[in-house]
Amino acid sequence: MQINNNQLLRFTTAGSVDDGKSTLIGRLLYDSKSIFEDQLQAIEATSKRKGMETVDLALFTDGLRDEREQGITIDVAYRYFTTPKRKFIIADTPGHIQYTRNMVTGASTANAAIILIDARHGVIEQTKRHAFIASLLQIPHLIVCVNKMDLVDFKEQAYNDIVVQFEEFSSKLDVQDVRFIPISALLGDNVVNRSEAMAWYQGSPLLHELETLHISSDINKIDARFAVQTVIRPQRDGFIDYRGYAGRISSGIYRVGDEVVVLPSGFTSKIKSINSGEKEIEEAYAPMSIAMTLEDDIDISRGNMIVKKNNQPEMLQEFDVMMCWLNNQPARPGAKYTLMHTSNEQRAIIKEVVYKIDINTYERNSEDKNLNMNDIARIKIRAAQNIMIDPYRDNRYTGSIILIDEGTNETVAAGMVVG
């Protein structure tokens, strides 16, 4: 399979405390030679100062001073690296239960999730919680790395037992693609290079899996959705009558000449031109940022959506979402929040908490209606006006919302529209 070396893969890492996430990412960066020389020298010096004989790989990711001093990951840390085959963005998220919101934030745009399991401990509650969140966020690919295989003498049976444990509970989740790799992040086995100590494992090392993961089909190419971010009126020579609508295509494909509908007005027209930067193109697709012009002069503004005539999102004022509460202050049912959806901004209220989910047991609790930080619940939202939405399982962009507190301007919740 040929891989486009400009293709970007976003992946998140999750695991319990001390499962070795930071060491794994450090190993990926170190063995793939994706570290600047001065950074490597600084980390080598820090490792020596700490009395270590080898490089402390975790230092490559624990970039915040508090994290380095305490030896923990406390926030979402983003790391970037490139190999000849692909570009990567890593969201390294903390494993502690009080940081569920951080994992939701880091994983929301990921193509893949790496879930680490300590080979000595097997599947634990944290593992189930992270797998549930990955399923909730519809992350297309899960790579389960059974780490610290060196501490169980690289035994195949220890690995097989964990695969069975994970498959037993993950069968209840909505996860399409699950892969398993036995690794030792500390020693480098099956991270970038194949492990000689685990000749019984016939699969690929982690980096090869990440480089060859097929992600083109992860994008919805059927439902054409283009949320207008701004209207372009250059008013300069050659563009006196130009009126373009700029934004990022959430899903689908747009071609010059396509019949389109502008929502919420319902007016129809045809695409006259499409521009990507200074270049005029005949076709554009998700996730490109473009400007398009229409053949008819229609009143279009930020927050409107341009879609295909025979394929339209639902226009709803009231809808259900699976929501993660992100704020220290509890939710206030009936209070007004600012709802952000694509480029659309509306006032909205939490009408009802239908049920909360215990993310350790997956059980629903319809008695407890209080939403506190890190809680995940199904809620009913009512917006001031109709919102153009799709179910999150069909479209991660037009199916997601955030709520902002009008008083403090803080983002208080992230939600996924239930179909």
Side-chain angles (χ1 to χ4, degrees):
M1 184 196 304
Q2 188 174 5
I3 302 295
N4 177 2
N5 66 350
N6 289 318
Q7 196 177 46
L8 175 67
L9 174 79
R10 298 172 184 266
F11 68 91
T12 183
T13 58
S16 185
V17 182
D18 296 329
D19 272 350
K21 296 187 305 299
S22 297
T23 302
L24 173 62
I25 295 169
R27 175 61 69 187
L28 265 176
L29 298 173
Y30 187 68
D31 283 6
S32 63
K33 298 179 173 54
S34 302
I35 299 152
F36 291 118
E37 193 65 35
D38 58 343
Q39 186 188 10
L40 180 58
Q41 288 171 359
I43 287 170
E44 284 174 343
T46 304
S47 300
K48 280 181 186 172
R49 205 161 50 243
K50 290 168 70 176
M52 301 180 73
E53 292 180 11
T54 55
V55 174
D56 184 355
L57 297 166
L59 292 176
F60 290 122
T61 55
D62 288 338
L64 300 174
R65 192 175 67 195
D66 287 350
E67 295 177 349
R68 288 198 300 267
E69 288 175 357
Q70 296 177 55
I72 60 168
T73 305
I74 60 175
D75 205 345
V76 182
Y78 292 95
R79 295 290 176 268
Y80 308 84
F81 75 103
T82 304
T83 70
K85 294 184 178 177
R86 190 170 260 169
K87 297 174 183 174
F88 299 93
I89 297 178
I90 313 168
D92 182 22
T93 59
H96 313 59
I97 191 164
Q98 66 265 38
Y99 295 121
T100 298
R101 61 175 185 168
N102 301 61
M103 185 184 169
V104 169
T105 304
S108 59
T109 57
N111 303 99
I114 295 176
I115 295 182
L116 263 78
I117 299 177
D118 189 319
R120 298 167 301 171
H121 304 145
V123 171
I124 59 174
E125 279 193 354
Q126 296 271 64
T127 314
K128 294 180 180 180
R129 192 173 78 252
H130 293 144
F132 173 76
I133 294 172
S135 164
L136 190 69
L137 291 167
Q138 296 283 297
I139 297 176
H141 311 280
L142 278 192
I143 303 175
V144 180
C145 288
V146 181
N147 192 21
K148 304 191 180 183
M149 286 297 295
D150 51 307
L151 300 181
V152 292
D153 300 324
F154 299 105
K155 287 180 181 171
E156 183 178 7
Q157 190 59 48
Y159 167 74
N160 289 341
D161 289 347
I162 290 171
V163 170
V164 171
Q165 285 176 30
F166 191 93
E167 286 179 335
E168 276 179 3
F169 83 88
S170 66
S171 62
K172 305 170 194 168
L173 303 175
D174 185 13
V175 181
Q176 308 302 321
D177 177 26
V178 184
R179 302 160 190 229
F180 298 90
I181 306 175
I183 67 168
S184 168
L186 188 64
L187 302 179
D189 292 77
N190 284 337
V191 179
V192 172
N193 304 307
R194 289 189 64 85
S195 169
E196 292 181 8
M198 290 182 279
W200 47 263
Y201 172 70
Q202 297 300 305
S204 304
L206 175 61
L207 183 61
H208 184 266
E209 289 285 351
L210 292 170
E211 285 180 328
T212 57
L213 208 56
H214 183 66
I215 59 172
S216 297
S217 58
D218 295 348
I219 296 172
N220 180 335
K221 296 187 178 72
I222 298 166
D223 305 316
R225 305 287 185 261
F226 178 72
V228 176
Q229 290 185 16
T230 190
V231 180
I232 300 174
R233 300 292 302 272
Q235 299 295 309
R236 59 185 171 89
D237 288 347
F239 293 92
I240 297 300
D241 297 320
Y242 185 90
R243 184 184 178 89
Y245 309 106
R248 192 179 83 153
I249 300 173
S250 299
S251 58
I253 302 169
Y254 289 85
R255 297 180 179 90
V256 173
D258 280 351
E259 281 197 45
V260 292
V261 178
V262 179
L263 298 177
S265 68
F267 288 120
T268 59
S269 186
K270 286 186 178 179
I271 297 176
K272 185 178 180 182
S273 68
I274 301 173
N275 280 81
S276 176
E278 296 288 317
K279 189 178 173 186
E280 194 161 313
I281 56 178
E282 289 295 310
E283 177 183 278
Y285 46 86
M288 291 172 65
S289 294
I290 61 157
M292 70 168 69
T293 64
L294 303 182
E295 289 185 356
D296 301 281
D297 191 11
I298 300 172
D299 183 16
I300 299 174
S301 58
R302 178 180 170 85
N304 290 172
M305 191 176 284
I306 298 173
V307 302
K308 297 286 183 70
K309 197 171 182 180
N310 59 351
N311 182 330
Q312 300 185 28
E314 288 190 275
M315 295 213 296
L316 299 174
Q317 195 171 357
E318 194 172 297
F319 49 91
D320 283 19
V321 298
M322 291 300 296
M323 178 159 281
C324 179
W325 194 256
L326 309 174
N327 201 253
N328 288 313
Q329 300 299 316
R332 306 187 311 278
K336 290 185 176 66
Y337 295 97
T338 299
L339 183 151
M340 300 287 293
H341 171 263
T342 62
S343 57
N344 198 349
E345 194 172 314
Q346 300 282 346
R347 295 184 93 185
I349 60 167
I350 296 173
K351 190 176 177 185
E352 181 190 350
V353 176
V354 181
Y355 57 77
K356 283 169 62 171
I357 291 182
D358 183 324
I359 52 177
N360 294 321
T361 64
Y362 309 158
E363 290 178 357
R364 299 176 179 182
N365 183 345
S366 53
E367 304 298 318
D368 183 1
K369 303 292 186 179
N370 298 311
L371 275 184
N372 297 300
M373 189 167 73
N374 294 316
D375 280 346
I376 292 177
R378 179 168 178 153
I379 68 168
K380 287 189 184 295
I381 285 183
R382 183 171 179 81
Q385 297 176 30
N386 279 342
I387 308 286
M388 289 80 79
I389 58 174
D390 295 290
Y392 184 82
R393 69 170 181 271
D394 296 335
N395 194 316
R396 290 171 78 185
Y397 296 101
T398 56
S400 58
I401 64 154
I402 61 171
L403 294 183
I404 296 171
D405 187 294
E406 292 189 330
T408 63
N409 213 32
E410 291 179 340
T411 300
V412 295
M416 293 138 277
V417 176
V418 179

